[in-house]
Amino acid sequence: MNEENLDYDSGEIELPKNGDMPIKQGGFHLYAKSDWRARAWGFKKAADILTNHFQKTLYGGDLVVYPIVYLYRHHLELSLKNIIIRSNNLLDKPIPLEFDHSLNKLWNYCQLILPQIGIPTDIPEAKPFENCLKQLDQVDSQANAFRYPVTKKGQPTLTTLDSVDIDNLRIVIARMSFFIEITSDILAEKLGDTWGI
């Protein structure tokens, strides 16, 4: 792909043409359409790419911070949902999941289900992970604050936050993701697969 065509500051942007199709076959393969884990890691990868680009160029960071935080948060949300859904496959009586966006609620489900299948959640590493989820939930409990400037009721979002240290965010999310990956790997072993798909 020619990045010059994507430079919106160059003044050489074309208007839509007859025959343009935003979604066109023949590009990257959607090999894991029903896989929560693949989508979760795709969001993290996209956030990592944006973060790395921003750190190298320092251009547009005040705008790109919104999608970066959202992408990392969505990675965590999908990862937790993946763990819950897959763990339920090992229970005689699956616990119904209410598809909520709250990271706290999703972690509560994990803490309810995982011990039932032999994966402890009362380990020392779980507490810092839980504290990070709580902080993210305090800022954005329903995954809207970094997507929209106002709530559905018209109230402003992000009223208690003035800035985000993107490098710190990347490091902390990487640690949280590693915790999730270990849990997912143990779960995959219990399910008898190696990729968690």
Side-chain angles (χ1 to χ4, degrees):
M1 179 183 304
N2 185 352
E3 286 201 18
E4 291 176 8
N5 294 337
L6 298 177
D7 184 4
Y8 297 112
D9 293 329
S10 71
E12 297 180 23
I13 300 174
E14 297 180 7
L15 293 171
K17 300 177 188 176
N18 286 334
D20 280 353
M21 295 172 42
I23 305 295
K24 183 179 173 185
Q25 297 283 350
F28 290 102
H29 188 67
L30 302 174
Y31 72 92
K33 294 179 187 177
S34 62
D35 181 13
W36 288 81
R37 193 175 186 186
R39 293 200 187 201
W41 286 97
F43 279 95
K44 182 181 181 301
K45 180 70 174 172
D48 287 343
I49 291 167
L50 282 173
T51 301
N52 290 336
H53 177 75
F54 157 70
Q55 288 175 327
K56 289 177 186 171
T57 64
L58 297 177
Y59 179 74
D62 291 342
L63 298 175
V64 179
V65 67
Y66 298 105
I68 288 173
V69 178
Y70 173 75
L71 291 169
Y72 278 135
R73 190 203 180 285
H74 200 55
H75 157 70
L76 295 171
E77 180 181 332
L78 293 179
S79 295
L80 292 171
K81 287 178 177 177
N82 176 60
I83 288 170
I84 295 164
I85 291 166
R86 292 178 48 71
S87 296
N88 256 336
N89 292 331
L90 295 170
L91 294 178
D92 292 333
K93 286 185 165 185
I95 297 169
L97 170 64
E98 293 178 24
F99 277 98
D100 196 285
H101 296 289
S102 168
L103 299 175
N104 277 336
K105 288 181 184 177
L106 294 171
W107 177 240
N108 289 339
Y109 273 108
C110 288
Q111 290 177 305
L112 184 63
I113 296 172
L114 290 173
Q116 292 184 49
I117 60 170
I119 301 175
T121 58
D122 58 354
I123 58 175
E125 297 82 2
K127 194 61 179 171
F129 176 80
E130 181 179 334
N131 289 339
C132 290
L133 291 177
K134 284 181 181 177
Q135 193 219 12
L136 287 166
D137 239 24
Q138 285 173 349
V139 172
D140 188 7
S141 66
Q142 292 301 306
N144 288 324
F146 288 92
R147 293 192 297 158
Y148 304 105
V150 295
T151 65
K152 289 180 182 178
K153 295 180 180 178
Q155 299 300 313
T157 58
L158 300 176
T159 57
T160 61
L161 195 63
D162 292 323
S163 63
V164 175
D165 182 331
I166 292 297
D167 192 46
N168 176 72
L169 176 68
R170 181 187 55 78
I171 291 167
V172 173
I173 295 294
R175 291 177 184 153
M176 295 175 75
S177 296
F178 186 53
F179 179 84
I180 287 171
E181 191 64 15
I182 291 169
T183 305
S184 294
D185 288 347
I186 295 168
L187 180 56
E189 274 183 37
K190 290 184 175 291
L191 288 164
D193 65 46
T194 54
W195 294 100
I197 293 173

